[in-house]
Amino acid sequence: MQAGYFSVHKYLEKERRFVPFDKIALYQSRLTKVIIARAAFADIRFRLDQYGVNYSTVFPGLDGLSRHIEWLHSFLGDEKNLRRSVADMRWEIPN
């Protein structure tokens, strides 16, 4: 169900651990760290849902579906400033 990319990491036999990409010089220039401000979480979660990325698609099955339905019918702590229309389940983000 999930669409994504897989990575192959260098494994150090003696230390019995994988080497993170950010510790390999070849990949350091290709990596970008994105820091999302806490205040933006609710808006990003809302917009991801509009594009079909939510609990039910990331975690297919009864648990993911249940969490998505729960989220649709309740507000998380960071969603207090959002408004939803109960009739059509649309969200509005105040300007």
Side-chain angles (χ1 to χ4, degrees), residues 4 25 55 65:
Y55 287 116
L65 178 61

Side-chain angles (χ1 to χ4, degrees), residues 7-20:
S7 60
V8 178
H9 295 258
K10 182 178 180 179
Y11 185 73
L12 302 175
E13 289 285 343
K14 290 182 181 179
E15 298 178 30
R16 299 182 65 175
R17 69 177 182 89
F18 289 97
V19 179

Side-chain angles (χ1 to χ4, degrees), residues 1-6 54-60:
M1 278 299 284
Q2 296 181 11
Y5 293 95
F6 293 91
N54 54 53
Y55 287 116
S56 68
T57 59
V58 175
F59 305 104

Side-chain angles (χ1 to χ4, degrees), residues 32-88:
T32 302
K33 183 175 186 175
V34 177
I35 299 173
I36 299 170
R38 179 176 290 211
F41 282 3
D43 181 51
I44 291 171
R45 189 182 311 113
F46 164 70
R47 295 188 189 282
L48 283 171
D49 182 59
Q50 288 180 318
Y51 288 106
V53 179
N54 54 53
Y55 287 116
S56 68
T57 59
V58 175
F59 305 104
L62 190 55
D63 288 341
L65 178 61
S66 298
R67 285 194 69 180
H68 182 61
I69 291 171
E70 178 183 29
W71 175 71
L72 286 173
H73 295 280
S74 61
F75 284 102
L76 298 177
D78 60 355
E79 297 174 339
K80 300 295 184 195
N81 65 332
L82 299 177
R83 293 177 299 203
R84 281 187 276 194
S85 167
V86 178
D88 58 7

